[in-house]
mmCIF file of all heavy atoms in Angstrom:
data_model
loop_
_atom_site.group_PDB
_atom_site.id
_atom_site.type_symbol
_atom_site.label_atom_id
_atom_site.label_comp_id
_atom_site.label_asym_id
_atom_site.label_seq_id
_atom_site.Cartn_x
_atom_site.Cartn_y
_atom_site.Cartn_z
ATOM 1 N N PHE A 1 -8.475 -2.805 -4.680
ATOM 2 C CA PHE A 1 -7.413 -2.693 -3.688
ATOM 3 C C PHE A 1 -7.964 -2.229 -2.351
ATOM 4 O O PHE A 1 -8.884 -1.406 -2.294
ATOM 5 C CB PHE A 1 -6.342 -1.710 -4.158
ATOM 6 C CG PHE A 1 -5.764 -2.047 -5.499
ATOM 7 C CD1 PHE A 1 -6.126 -1.323 -6.622
ATOM 8 C CD2 PHE A 1 -4.871 -3.093 -5.640
ATOM 9 C CE1 PHE A 1 -5.600 -1.633 -7.862
ATOM 10 C CE2 PHE A 1 -4.342 -3.418 -6.872
ATOM 11 C CZ PHE A 1 -4.705 -2.678 -7.993
ATOM 12 N N VAL A 2 -7.395 -2.764 -1.269
ATOM 13 C CA VAL A 2 -7.756 -2.378 0.079
ATOM 14 C C VAL A 2 -6.491 -2.017 0.838
ATOM 15 O O VAL A 2 -5.602 -2.851 1.002
ATOM 16 C CB VAL A 2 -8.508 -3.498 0.816
ATOM 17 C CG1 VAL A 2 -8.838 -3.062 2.238
ATOM 18 C CG2 VAL A 2 -9.784 -3.868 0.070
ATOM 19 N N GLU A 3 -6.423 -0.774 1.303
ATOM 20 C CA GLU A 3 -5.266 -0.288 2.038
ATOM 21 C C GLU A 3 -5.510 -0.378 3.540
ATOM 22 O O GLU A 3 -6.633 -0.197 4.003
ATOM 23 C CB GLU A 3 -4.967 1.173 1.666
ATOM 24 C CG GLU A 3 -4.697 1.406 0.180
ATOM 25 C CD GLU A 3 -5.946 1.727 -0.625
ATOM 26 O OE1 GLU A 3 -7.078 1.541 -0.105
ATOM 27 O OE2 GLU A 3 -5.806 2.177 -1.772
ATOM 28 N N SER A 4 -4.450 -0.626 4.290
ATOM 29 C CA SER A 4 -4.546 -0.689 5.738
ATOM 30 C C SER A 4 -3.202 -0.344 6.354
ATOM 31 O O SER A 4 -2.197 -0.252 5.659
ATOM 32 C CB SER A 4 -5.007 -2.072 6.203
ATOM 33 O OG SER A 4 -4.073 -3.070 5.823
ATOM 34 N N GLY A 5 -3.188 -0.169 7.664
ATOM 35 C CA GLY A 5 -1.948 0.068 8.388
ATOM 36 C C GLY A 5 -1.704 1.499 8.801
ATOM 37 O O GLY A 5 -0.724 1.777 9.505
ATOM 38 N N GLY A 6 -2.559 2.411 8.382
ATOM 39 C CA GLY A 6 -2.378 3.801 8.758
ATOM 40 C C GLY A 6 -2.702 4.029 10.221
ATOM 41 O O GLY A 6 -3.203 3.156 10.917
ATOM 42 N N GLY A 7 -2.403 5.230 10.683
ATOM 43 C CA GLY A 7 -2.669 5.576 12.062
ATOM 44 C C GLY A 7 -1.982 6.864 12.446
ATOM 45 O O GLY A 7 -1.485 7.601 11.595
ATOM 46 N N LEU A 8 -1.960 7.132 13.735
ATOM 47 C CA LEU A 8 -1.317 8.322 14.282
ATOM 48 C C LEU A 8 0.083 7.968 14.748
ATOM 49 O O LEU A 8 0.272 6.995 15.484
ATOM 50 C CB LEU A 8 -2.138 8.873 15.451
ATOM 51 C CG LEU A 8 -1.558 10.067 16.210
ATOM 52 C CD1 LEU A 8 -1.448 11.282 15.295
ATOM 53 C CD2 LEU A 8 -2.421 10.377 17.422
ATOM 54 N N VAL A 9 1.051 8.752 14.324
ATOM 55 C CA VAL A 9 2.434 8.507 14.697
ATOM 56 C C VAL A 9 3.134 9.841 14.946
ATOM 57 O O VAL A 9 2.793 10.854 14.335
ATOM 58 C CB VAL A 9 3.160 7.692 13.600
ATOM 59 C CG1 VAL A 9 3.226 8.479 12.296
ATOM 60 C CG2 VAL A 9 4.548 7.276 14.052
ATOM 61 N N GLN A 10 4.097 9.837 15.850
ATOM 62 C CA GLN A 10 4.852 11.051 16.140
ATOM 63 C C GLN A 10 5.898 11.308 15.062
ATOM 64 O O GLN A 10 6.351 10.381 14.386
ATOM 65 C CB GLN A 10 5.538 10.941 17.499
ATOM 66 C CG GLN A 10 4.575 10.897 18.675
ATOM 67 C CD GLN A 10 5.290 10.897 20.007
ATOM 68 O OE1 GLN A 10 6.466 10.525 20.096
ATOM 69 N NE2 GLN A 10 4.590 11.315 21.044
ATOM 70 N N PRO A 11 6.290 12.566 14.876
ATOM 71 C CA PRO A 11 7.364 12.859 13.932
ATOM 72 C C PRO A 11 8.597 12.020 14.241
ATOM 73 O O PRO A 11 8.965 11.841 15.400
ATOM 74 C CB PRO A 11 7.635 14.349 14.145
ATOM 75 C CG PRO A 11 6.322 14.883 14.623
ATOM 76 C CD PRO A 11 5.748 13.795 15.492
ATOM 77 N N GLY A 12 9.221 11.508 13.194
ATOM 78 C CA GLY A 12 10.370 10.638 13.350
ATOM 79 C C GLY A 12 10.013 9.173 13.482
ATOM 80 O O GLY A 12 10.907 8.317 13.425
ATOM 81 N N GLY A 13 8.739 8.884 13.633
ATOM 82 C CA GLY A 13 8.292 7.519 13.792
ATOM 83 C C GLY A 13 8.148 6.785 12.474
ATOM 84 O O GLY A 13 8.452 7.311 11.407
ATOM 85 N N SER A 14 7.651 5.551 12.565
ATOM 86 C CA SER A 14 7.518 4.687 11.398
ATOM 87 C C SER A 14 6.146 4.036 11.345
ATOM 88 O O SER A 14 5.503 3.814 12.374
ATOM 89 C CB SER A 14 8.578 3.580 11.419
ATOM 90 O OG SER A 14 9.886 4.108 11.363
ATOM 91 N N LEU A 15 5.715 3.733 10.143
ATOM 92 C CA LEU A 15 4.510 2.961 9.902
ATOM 93 C C LEU A 15 4.754 2.067 8.694
ATOM 94 O O LEU A 15 5.556 2.408 7.825
ATOM 95 C CB LEU A 15 3.302 3.853 9.616
ATOM 96 C CG LEU A 15 2.614 4.560 10.780
ATOM 97 C CD1 LEU A 15 1.545 5.502 10.235
ATOM 98 C CD2 LEU A 15 2.000 3.552 11.739
ATOM 99 N N ARG A 16 4.052 0.950 8.655
ATOM 100 C CA ARG A 16 4.104 0.073 7.490
ATOM 101 C C ARG A 16 2.689 -0.094 6.962
ATOM 102 O O ARG A 16 1.826 -0.637 7.653
ATOM 103 C CB ARG A 16 4.710 -1.286 7.836
ATOM 104 C CG ARG A 16 5.029 -2.141 6.602
ATOM 105 C CD ARG A 16 5.696 -3.446 6.996
ATOM 106 N NE ARG A 16 6.075 -4.247 5.847
ATOM 107 C CZ ARG A 16 7.277 -4.250 5.288
ATOM 108 N NH1 ARG A 16 8.246 -3.478 5.795
ATOM 109 N NH2 ARG A 16 7.533 -5.017 4.244
ATOM 110 N N LEU A 17 2.461 0.377 5.752
ATOM 111 C CA LEU A 17 1.165 0.282 5.119
ATOM 112 C C LEU A 17 1.077 -0.986 4.285
ATOM 113 O O LEU A 17 2.075 -1.458 3.736
ATOM 114 C CB LEU A 17 0.903 1.491 4.224
ATOM 115 C CG LEU A 17 1.028 2.867 4.881
ATOM 116 C CD1 LEU A 17 0.623 3.949 3.888
ATOM 117 C CD2 LEU A 17 0.192 2.945 6.148
ATOM 118 N N HIS A 18 -0.122 -1.525 4.192
ATOM 119 C CA HIS A 18 -0.352 -2.754 3.449
ATOM 120 C C HIS A 18 -1.458 -2.537 2.432
ATOM 121 O O HIS A 18 -2.453 -1.872 2.723
ATOM 122 C CB HIS A 18 -0.733 -3.880 4.415
ATOM 123 C CG HIS A 18 -0.934 -5.202 3.767
ATOM 124 N ND1 HIS A 18 0.112 -5.982 3.332
ATOM 125 C CD2 HIS A 18 -2.072 -5.890 3.475
ATOM 126 C CE1 HIS A 18 -0.362 -7.095 2.806
ATOM 127 N NE2 HIS A 18 -1.687 -7.060 2.880
ATOM 128 N N CYS A 19 -1.286 -3.104 1.269
ATOM 129 C CA CYS A 19 -2.285 -3.043 0.209
ATOM 130 C C CYS A 19 -2.560 -4.446 -0.282
ATOM 131 O O CYS A 19 -1.658 -5.119 -0.792
ATOM 132 C CB CYS A 19 -1.787 -2.171 -0.943
ATOM 133 S SG CYS A 19 -2.781 -2.282 -2.450
ATOM 134 N N SER A 20 -3.788 -4.902 -0.109
ATOM 135 C CA SER A 20 -4.175 -6.208 -0.614
ATOM 136 C C SER A 20 -5.046 -6.041 -1.851
ATOM 137 O O SER A 20 -5.850 -5.116 -1.937
ATOM 138 C CB SER A 20 -4.911 -7.010 0.455
ATOM 139 O OG SER A 20 -6.100 -6.355 0.851
ATOM 140 N N ALA A 21 -4.891 -6.948 -2.796
ATOM 141 C CA ALA A 21 -5.621 -6.898 -4.045
ATOM 142 C C ALA A 21 -6.647 -8.019 -4.114
ATOM 143 O O ALA A 21 -6.493 -9.056 -3.468
ATOM 144 C CB ALA A 21 -4.666 -6.995 -5.230
ATOM 145 N N SER A 22 -7.681 -7.802 -4.905
ATOM 146 C CA SER A 22 -8.741 -8.785 -5.042
ATOM 147 C C SER A 22 -8.322 -9.989 -5.872
ATOM 148 O O SER A 22 -9.032 -10.993 -5.893
ATOM 149 C CB SER A 22 -9.983 -8.139 -5.660
ATOM 150 O OG SER A 22 -9.698 -7.624 -6.944
ATOM 151 N N GLU A 23 -7.201 -9.881 -6.554
ATOM 152 C CA GLU A 23 -6.676 -10.969 -7.347
ATOM 153 C C GLU A 23 -5.162 -10.885 -7.351
ATOM 154 O O GLU A 23 -4.583 -9.903 -6.894
ATOM 155 C CB GLU A 23 -7.225 -10.935 -8.779
ATOM 156 C CG GLU A 23 -6.890 -9.669 -9.534
ATOM 157 C CD GLU A 23 -7.595 -9.584 -10.872
ATOM 158 O OE1 GLU A 23 -8.829 -9.436 -10.882
ATOM 159 O OE2 GLU A 23 -6.905 -9.685 -11.910
ATOM 160 N N SER A 24 -4.514 -11.919 -7.876
ATOM 161 C CA SER A 24 -3.062 -11.946 -7.915
ATOM 162 C C SER A 24 -2.500 -10.761 -8.690
ATOM 163 O O SER A 24 -3.049 -10.348 -9.706
ATOM 164 C CB SER A 24 -2.581 -13.253 -8.547
ATOM 165 O OG SER A 24 -1.177 -13.256 -8.704
ATOM 166 N N LEU A 25 -1.396 -10.235 -8.201
ATOM 167 C CA LEU A 25 -0.708 -9.131 -8.870
ATOM 168 C C LEU A 25 0.359 -9.618 -9.834
ATOM 169 O O LEU A 25 1.100 -8.812 -10.392
ATOM 170 C CB LEU A 25 -0.070 -8.209 -7.832
ATOM 171 C CG LEU A 25 -1.015 -7.551 -6.823
ATOM 172 C CD1 LEU A 25 -0.214 -6.709 -5.833
ATOM 173 C CD2 LEU A 25 -2.049 -6.702 -7.536
ATOM 174 N N SER A 26 0.430 -10.920 -10.046
ATOM 175 C CA SER A 26 1.502 -11.487 -10.864
ATOM 176 C C SER A 26 1.485 -10.975 -12.297
ATOM 177 O O SER A 26 2.527 -10.946 -12.956
ATOM 178 C CB SER A 26 1.426 -13.014 -10.851
ATOM 179 O OG SER A 26 0.196 -13.473 -11.389
ATOM 180 N N SER A 27 0.318 -10.577 -12.783
ATOM 181 C CA SER A 27 0.210 -10.095 -14.159
ATOM 182 C C SER A 27 0.184 -8.572 -14.263
ATOM 183 O O SER A 27 0.026 -8.039 -15.358
ATOM 184 C CB SER A 27 -1.040 -10.673 -14.817
ATOM 185 O OG SER A 27 -2.213 -10.246 -14.166
ATOM 186 N N ILE A 28 0.334 -7.895 -13.135
ATOM 187 C CA ILE A 28 0.353 -6.432 -13.123
ATOM 188 C C ILE A 28 1.804 -5.971 -13.116
ATOM 189 O O ILE A 28 2.550 -6.268 -12.188
ATOM 190 C CB ILE A 28 -0.410 -5.873 -11.913
ATOM 191 C CG1 ILE A 28 -1.872 -6.315 -11.969
ATOM 192 C CG2 ILE A 28 -0.306 -4.352 -11.877
ATOM 193 C CD1 ILE A 28 -2.702 -5.860 -10.793
ATOM 194 N N TYR A 29 2.191 -5.225 -14.151
ATOM 195 C CA TYR A 29 3.588 -4.839 -14.298
ATOM 196 C C TYR A 29 4.066 -3.885 -13.215
ATOM 197 O O TYR A 29 5.166 -4.038 -12.689
ATOM 198 C CB TYR A 29 3.812 -4.206 -15.673
ATOM 199 C CG TYR A 29 3.636 -5.152 -16.834
ATOM 200 C CD1 TYR A 29 2.864 -4.806 -17.929
ATOM 201 C CD2 TYR A 29 4.269 -6.396 -16.838
ATOM 202 C CE1 TYR A 29 2.704 -5.671 -18.998
ATOM 203 C CE2 TYR A 29 4.112 -7.268 -17.900
ATOM 204 C CZ TYR A 29 3.329 -6.895 -18.977
ATOM 205 O OH TYR A 29 3.179 -7.756 -20.034
ATOM 206 N N VAL A 30 3.260 -2.886 -12.894
ATOM 207 C CA VAL A 30 3.667 -1.852 -11.956
ATOM 208 C C VAL A 30 2.567 -1.586 -10.935
ATOM 209 O O VAL A 30 1.420 -1.338 -11.294
ATOM 210 C CB VAL A 30 4.021 -0.532 -12.673
ATOM 211 C CG1 VAL A 30 4.511 0.503 -11.668
ATOM 212 C CG2 VAL A 30 5.076 -0.768 -13.749
ATOM 213 N N MET A 31 2.939 -1.635 -9.662
ATOM 214 C CA MET A 31 2.063 -1.212 -8.586
ATOM 215 C C MET A 31 2.654 0.032 -7.953
ATOM 216 O O MET A 31 3.871 0.221 -7.937
ATOM 217 C CB MET A 31 1.907 -2.312 -7.540
ATOM 218 C CG MET A 31 1.013 -3.459 -7.975
ATOM 219 S SD MET A 31 -0.727 -2.920 -8.142
ATOM 220 C CE MET A 31 -1.101 -2.407 -6.462
ATOM 221 N N ALA A 32 1.793 0.875 -7.420
ATOM 222 C CA ALA A 32 2.260 2.145 -6.897
ATOM 223 C C ALA A 32 1.484 2.584 -5.671
ATOM 224 O O ALA A 32 0.359 2.138 -5.429
ATOM 225 C CB ALA A 32 2.162 3.228 -7.978
ATOM 226 N N TRP A 33 2.101 3.457 -4.901
ATOM 227 C CA TRP A 33 1.459 4.141 -3.795
ATOM 228 C C TRP A 33 1.306 5.611 -4.140
ATOM 229 O O TRP A 33 2.201 6.220 -4.735
ATOM 230 C CB TRP A 33 2.264 4.009 -2.502
ATOM 231 C CG TRP A 33 2.123 2.672 -1.827
ATOM 232 C CD1 TRP A 33 2.951 1.596 -1.959
ATOM 233 C CD2 TRP A 33 1.096 2.283 -0.913
ATOM 234 N NE1 TRP A 33 2.503 0.556 -1.180
ATOM 235 C CE2 TRP A 33 1.364 0.946 -0.525
ATOM 236 C CE3 TRP A 33 -0.024 2.929 -0.374
ATOM 237 C CZ2 TRP A 33 0.549 0.245 0.367
ATOM 238 C CZ3 TRP A 33 -0.832 2.235 0.513
ATOM 239 C CH2 TRP A 33 -0.544 0.913 0.875
ATOM 240 N N TYR A 34 0.171 6.169 -3.750
ATOM 241 C CA TYR A 34 -0.129 7.581 -3.916
ATOM 242 C C TYR A 34 -0.610 8.121 -2.578
ATOM 243 O O TYR A 34 -0.969 7.357 -1.685
ATOM 244 C CB TYR A 34 -1.218 7.799 -4.964
ATOM 245 C CG TYR A 34 -0.883 7.298 -6.346
ATOM 246 C CD1 TYR A 34 -0.998 5.948 -6.661
ATOM 247 C CD2 TYR A 34 -0.461 8.176 -7.336
ATOM 248 C CE1 TYR A 34 -0.695 5.480 -7.924
ATOM 249 C CE2 TYR A 34 -0.160 7.719 -8.609
ATOM 250 C CZ TYR A 34 -0.282 6.369 -8.895
ATOM 251 O OH TYR A 34 0.019 5.915 -10.152
ATOM 252 N N ARG A 35 -0.632 9.422 -2.441
ATOM 253 C CA ARG A 35 -1.198 10.012 -1.232
ATOM 254 C C ARG A 35 -1.889 11.321 -1.569
ATOM 255 O O ARG A 35 -1.589 11.968 -2.570
ATOM 256 C CB ARG A 35 -0.125 10.243 -0.158
ATOM 257 C CG ARG A 35 0.903 11.307 -0.497
ATOM 258 C CD ARG A 35 1.970 11.360 0.585
ATOM 259 N NE ARG A 35 2.974 12.383 0.312
ATOM 260 C CZ ARG A 35 4.085 12.532 1.010
ATOM 261 N NH1 ARG A 35 4.346 11.726 2.045
ATOM 262 N NH2 ARG A 35 4.942 13.494 0.688
#
């Protein structure tokens, strides 16, 4: 997995993070975000 989209943002702001996989996720039952 490769994550992208992070950065510096002010409180109250928004960001959209992206996670790309090396192969199709069609056979993966559950994907998740952690921090």
